Amino acid sequence: MTRTLAALPGAARRLCLSRRNGEICTREDGHRGLHHRTGGRLMWSDLQADPLACAGAGEPAEPAPTLPDGYPGGRALCPTCWAFVTPVNGVLAPHDSWRGDETREEADRRRDWFNSFGW
């Protein structure tokens, strides 16, 4: 039986998550060779990868709605990379593009937020 990616423990951390033109590499973390987006023809090297810094920094932002437990804690959702980022003076602070959640707990809370408030 095939399980969805979200159902795998720590799934996001098992993927490479390098980006090119906003597309995320779907090969295993630490893979050798070119980055590749499963389901597409896009392949790239590290030299062609998007920079870690997100281009969404400086965009107007308001804190996102919160779950009953307070998540995401006053952070705003970046419309470019989908990271939760602390707004500074009404704009998104400089940040790296979202590359997956650090923990399974963060991934679960993030999933609950998106299921509650949408994309």
Side-chain angles (χ1 to χ4, degrees), residues 19 54-66 71-88 90-93 95-99 101 106 109-119:
R19 296 176 187 255
C54 178
E59 292 291 320
E62 293 182 14
T66 59
Y71 185 83
R75 297 177 292 170
L77 183 66
C78 176
T80 303
C81 72
W82 301 101
F84 284 111
V85 180
T86 302
V88 176
V91 299
L92 291 173
H95 61 281
D96 288 347
S97 291
W98 182 77
R99 295 276 201 275
D101 298 303
E106 177 73 11
R109 295 176 81 204
R110 183 179 171 84
R111 182 191 63 238
D112 291 343
W113 188 92
F114 279 102
N115 285 336
S116 297
F117 299 105
W119 301 90

Side-chain angles (χ1 to χ4, degrees), residues 18-25 42-45 48-50:
S18 172
R19 296 176 187 255
R20 180 159 188 219
N21 299 329
E23 295 290 337
I24 300 172
C25 177
L42 184 62
M43 297 183 84
W44 65 95
S45 70
Q48 297 166 314
D50 293 347

